[in-house]
């Protein structure tokens, strides 16, 4: 079995953990510095790219809530995932209790960016 080692971090980055898929592939999740508030989904996606990353997906936000909850305000944060059956909605994570839901993309929620490194 391949040993997973923590990647080198840039200044102000925080290591959240690794996601391993059922097929054995995986990636490290690294939380980037900065928090963007009151933004719609598309603006949040663009902001995350400007930070050199991406919004986390639903699995990654669950990991972040479990491992780094204290680094987030107890509010709703966007994920990078659109709702499968309704293109006007995207998934979000509530960091006060770990609940996930979806909201209209025009709603104003918070955003954090992550970067991923393949394992």
């Amino acid at each position: 079995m391949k040993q997973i080692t923590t990647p080198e971090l840039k200044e102000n980055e925080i290591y959240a953990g690794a996601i391993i898929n059922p097929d054995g592939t995986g990636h490290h999740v690294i939380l980037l510095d900065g928090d963007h508030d009151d933004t719609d989904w598309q603006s949040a996606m663009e902001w995350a790219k400007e930070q050199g990353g991406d919004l986390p997906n639903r699995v990654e936000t669950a990991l972040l809530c479990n491992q780094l909850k204290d680094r987030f305000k107890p509010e709703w944060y966007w994920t990078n995932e659109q709702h499968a059956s309704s293109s006007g909605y995207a998934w979000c994570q509530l960091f006060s209790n770990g609940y996930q839901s979806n909201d209209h993309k025009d709603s104003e929620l918070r955003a954090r960016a992550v970067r991923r490194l393949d394992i």
Side-chain angles (χ1 to χ4, degrees):
M1 176 179 266
K2 184 177 179 180
Q3 184 175 356
I4 298 174
T5 58
T6 304
E8 187 173 326
L9 300 177
K10 298 175 184 174
E11 187 175 350
N12 297 320
E13 291 183 334
I14 301 168
Y15 184 71
I19 304 287
I20 306 299
N21 301 311
D23 66 1
T25 63
H27 63 276
H28 297 283
V29 179
I30 300 164
L31 182 64
L32 302 183
D33 193 31
D35 193 314
H36 191 46
D37 61 346
D38 300 331
T39 186
D40 64 76
W41 184 76
Q42 187 60 49
S43 297
M45 293 285 285
E46 293 166 7
W47 173 83
K49 286 182 185 173
E50 291 169 4
Q51 307 312 302
D54 187 16
L55 294 180
N57 63 36
R58 290 175 65 194
V59 172
E60 293 164 344
T61 57
L63 173 72
L64 291 165
C65 190
N66 185 37
Q67 298 295 330
L68 300 174
K69 186 177 183 177
D70 62 329
R71 302 290 181 155
F72 291 79
K73 294 191 176 188
E75 298 177 20
W76 287 100
Y77 284 78
W78 288 117
T79 75
N80 68 359
E81 294 186 49
Q82 295 186 73
H83 193 275
S85 63
S86 182
S87 63
Y89 287 79
W91 287 95
C92 48
Q93 170 89 36
L94 181 56
F95 276 82
S96 63
N97 64 10
Y99 184 70
Q100 290 187 348
S101 187
N102 57 74
D103 204 340
H104 196 274
K105 289 180 181 178
D106 289 337
S107 297
E108 293 188 348
L109 309 179
R110 301 188 74 78
R112 291 292 301 262
V114 297
R115 72 178 176 103
R116 300 172 187 92
L117 292 172
D118 289 337
I119 295 175

